[in-house]
Amino acid sequence: MQEDGTIAASDHTAPARNHGTAPGTLPVVSLRGVTKRYGNGTLAVRGLDLDIAAGGFVSLLGPSGCGKSTVLRMVAGLSPVTAGTIDWPRATHDARGTPRPKLGFVFQEPTLMPWQTAIDNVALPLRLEGVAKAERHRRARKMLALVGLSDFAESYPRELSGGMKMRVSIARALVTEPEMLLLDEPFAALDEITRFRLNNDLLRLWEARRFTAVFVTHSVFESVYLSERVIVMAAGPGRLHSDLSIEAPVQRDEAFRTSPDYAALCRTVSGALERAMAA
Amino acid sequence: MTPPDEALPQERRFLGLSAGTWPRILAPLVMGLLLLGGWEWAVRHFAVPAYIVPGPVQIAQTLVKDWPTLSGSLAVTLRITLLALLVAVSAGVALSVLFSQSKWVEMTFLPYAVMLQVTPVVAIAPLIIIWVDNVQASLLICAWIVAFFPIVSNTTIGLNSTDRNLVDLFRLYGATRWQTLVQLRLPAAMPFFLAGLRISGGLSLIGAIVAEFVAGTGGASSGLAYRILESGYQLQIPRMFAALALISFSGVVIFLALSLVSHLMLRRWHESALKKDR
Ligand SMILES: Nc1ncnc2c1ncn2[C@@H]1O[C@H](COP(=O)(O)OP(=O)(O)O)[C@@H](O)[C@H]1O
Ligand SMILES: [Mg+2]
């Protein structure tokens, strides 16, 4: 496989390495021995080591319940780690010495405030930061244009389709120009046609802005189409199973989606996932 | 904008209201007229004496004749009702916000709010009237006790059922407690609060009337319930019915007004206020 240049899959079952980070450059985020036990005793994640390089597009792939959401929520600081550390070597620190990486988060549901228009939903993070109304609307309008919703700035969420709501949600996550965008199965509830379009839109945004993307999905096809790197997780307790580089053309489009290369890559990742589920 | 297509059926409108709205106004109206007509006919046909059941016409005449006294009483009752509702809303929302900020406060006070609710107001009204010197104030307290609970319980449910992902999002962006309350929890609780408000509007009228009955005081500043008691003693049954009609009418107006408020506040975003256009 590696010889024909379409895939460079690293060892499938080895513990994590400083994969994806060129020597000498600091990763955006660095997880060491991260473990999560919920209050009810569930061991959701155990001993996760993971470095994520700046500007990459990484997918977390695994069966339902293997702790993908838990990892993402811990990285976002929404859920405390039980053991281990999460470091942000490149982030600025606040007065108390706590790192404050700029993050964006996209949930599986659009998670919009139904009482606010699309533009006010997008401007929410800026409003919470105390940015003046004119300025935050200017920036929110720019983001809406970027996701193709200029004409719907004044619409309420209930007037938008599922795909449009998800675009608003992505625009909101990007309005603060975050260093890292965390996405938790954002397109899982959408129909295939809409999902494909949003995949392409997300890639286009990522190419334009070069934030670090961490994309949680349970779809092999989606992970291969989008990512430079796929982390396969195994369940019970959640842990890293394999760490694969996807060496595919930079240009990901419908031609790539139907190419034999894509099919071969999917087969490799699918095999890793199968082994992870058997492990 | 595309020009209206002749081939497409347009929504038909009469006198500014859509064709679908008229039956909702006309049907109950016709029903009411039929009932009143039947009542008047029965009273005349069976020659029922006015001190047992007066006919609608006589009630209307009494309403006009006694309007100076009745309107004064109506004003008194409505003042208590609206004041009680106002206090119930401000105290209820304040208490709900406290509940939502601290589980301890909720655990400590919620049982007492429930106790206040399940104790029949007629049973505590005499005590309140004895304890509180001022009759108006004691009436207000009674009406408030009745109107208070739906606001508290509905608003509390609303504040607690905020989308957890949105709460997380606010946390991600470092929102303060105050920002989360004002920009997220309170707007999310609005539909619940408004549903409680509509219930409380009717209840505060009931509370005011019940308290007036118990107080039973006469004099210049007495409400519609007192007029009913007084008319009963004096066997002025048409006046009793006139006062009763005013109470019912006030209740309906309060309900419609609060429904309108609710509709106006939610129409842009909430499912309950959506036009059923599918
Ligand atoms: N808040 C919670 N409390 C207790 N257990 C939880 C909680 N959230 C998730 N879990 C459990 O942790 C495990 C991993 O869940 P999750 O991270 O949601 O997996 P995934 O996103 O991969 O489907 C599951 O067994 C789940 O039941
Ligand atoms: Mg999940």
Side-chain angles (χ1 to χ4, degrees), chain B residues 102-113:
Chain B
S102 154
K103 276 283 150 230
W104 275 100
V105 176
E106 180 170 350
M107 281 193 293
T108 312
F109 288 101
L110 194 60
Y112 295 100

Side-chain angles (χ1 to χ4, degrees), chain A residues 110-122 149 152-166 168-169 172, chain B residues 166 268-271 274:
Chain A
T111 316
L112 304 177
M113 297 179 289
W115 56 88
Q116 298 220 314
T117 55
I119 190 159
D120 282 325
N121 267 292
V122 173
L149 286 180
F152 295 90
E154 305 304 326
S155 300
Y156 284 82
R158 68 166 173 87
E159 298 161 341
L160 303 174
S161 71
M164 287 156 98
K165 279 187 257 197
M166 200 37 95
V168 175
S169 186
R172 175 181 61 193
Chain B
L166 272 174
R268 291 307 301 270
W269 64 274
H270 198 254
E271 290 294 332
L274 286 194

Side-chain angles (χ1 to χ4, degrees), chain B residues 70 73-82 84 121-122 125 129 135 138-144 146-147 201-217 222-229 240 242-251 254:
Chain B
L70 286 175
S73 298
L74 176 67
V76 170
T77 301
L78 282 185
R79 219 189 58 158
I80 300 259
T81 303
L82 296 183
V121 73
V122 247
I129 288 162
V135 178
S138 57
L139 296 184
L140 184 62
I141 292 173
C142 292
W144 168 76
V146 183
L203 285 182
S204 58
L205 179 64
I206 292 175
I209 299 283
V210 167
E212 277 179 24
F213 264 116
V214 176
T217 49
S222 31
L224 286 173
Y226 178 70
R227 291 296 156 226
I228 289 181
L229 281 178
M240 199 168 171
L244 195 58
L246 281 180
I247 293 174
S248 300
F249 184 71
S250 308
I254 289 171

Side-chain angles (χ1 to χ4, degrees), chain B residues 12 21 45 62 65 113 117 121 135 145 156 159 183 204 212 217 242 277-278:
Chain B
R12 284 186 304 173
T21 311
H45 185 259
T62 314
K65 182 165 59 73
Q117 159 72 6
V121 73
V135 178
I145 287 176
T156 302
L159 289 171
Q183 293 180 39
S204 58
E212 277 179 24
T217 49
D277 191 0
R278 295 182 191 283

Side-chain angles (χ1 to χ4, degrees), chain A residues 2-55:
Chain A
Q2 220 151 343
E3 297 88 289
D4 68 11
T6 57
I7 188 163
S10 54
D11 49 336
H12 295 308
T13 46
R17 305 162 302 138
N18 280 5
H19 186 111
T21 311
T25 49
L26 289 172
V28 183
V29 66
S30 170
L31 286 71
R32 286 291 170 271
V34 167
T35 298
K36 176 74 186 187
R37 188 185 286 281
Y38 281 106
N40 63 3
T42 309
L43 186 58
V45 178
R46 189 174 66 192
L48 190 67
D49 293 329
L50 186 64
D51 282 341
I52 292 175

Side-chain angles (χ1 to χ4, degrees), chain A residues 38-40 42-44 62-71 184-185 216, chain B residues 164:
Chain A
Y38 281 106
N40 63 3
T42 309
L43 186 58
S64 183
C66 72
K68 305 182 294 295
S69 297
T70 303
V71 171
D184 192 354
E185 306 197 25
V216 164
Chain B
R164 282 197 37 205

Side-chain angles (χ1 to χ4, degrees), chain B residues 37-163:
Chain B
W39 178 357
E40 185 69 35
W41 173 84
V43 165
R44 286 174 194 230
H45 185 259
F46 299 109
V48 183
Y51 59 83
I52 298 196
V53 181
V57 172
Q58 197 185 356
I59 294 171
Q61 283 165 345
T62 314
L63 199 56
V64 173
K65 182 165 59 73
D66 290 347
W67 183 247
T69 353
L70 286 175
S71 63
S73 298
L74 176 67
V76 170
T77 301
L78 282 185
R79 219 189 58 158
I80 300 259
T81 303
L82 296 183
L83 227 51
L85 187 60
L86 202 71
V87 180
V89 166
S90 28
V93 170
L95 192 64
S96 305
V97 168
L98 272 181
F99 283 178
S100 77
Q101 295 300 301
S102 154
K103 276 283 150 230
W104 275 100
V105 176
E106 180 170 350
M107 281 193 293
T108 312
F109 288 101
L110 194 60
Y112 295 100
V114 173
M115 221 161 94
L116 213 58
Q117 159 72 6
V118 296
T119 312
V121 73
V122 247
I124 29 177
L127 267 181
I128 292 170
I129 288 162
I130 291 169
W131 287 342
V132 182
D133 263 346
N134 185 323
V135 178
Q136 297 300 305
S138 57
L139 296 184
L140 184 62
I141 292 173
C142 292
W144 168 76
I145 287 176
V146 183
F148 180 59
F149 192 73
I151 302 265
V152 174
S153 87
N154 273 35
T155 312
T156 302
I157 291 174
L159 289 171
N160 288 339
S161 55
T162 316
D163 183 337

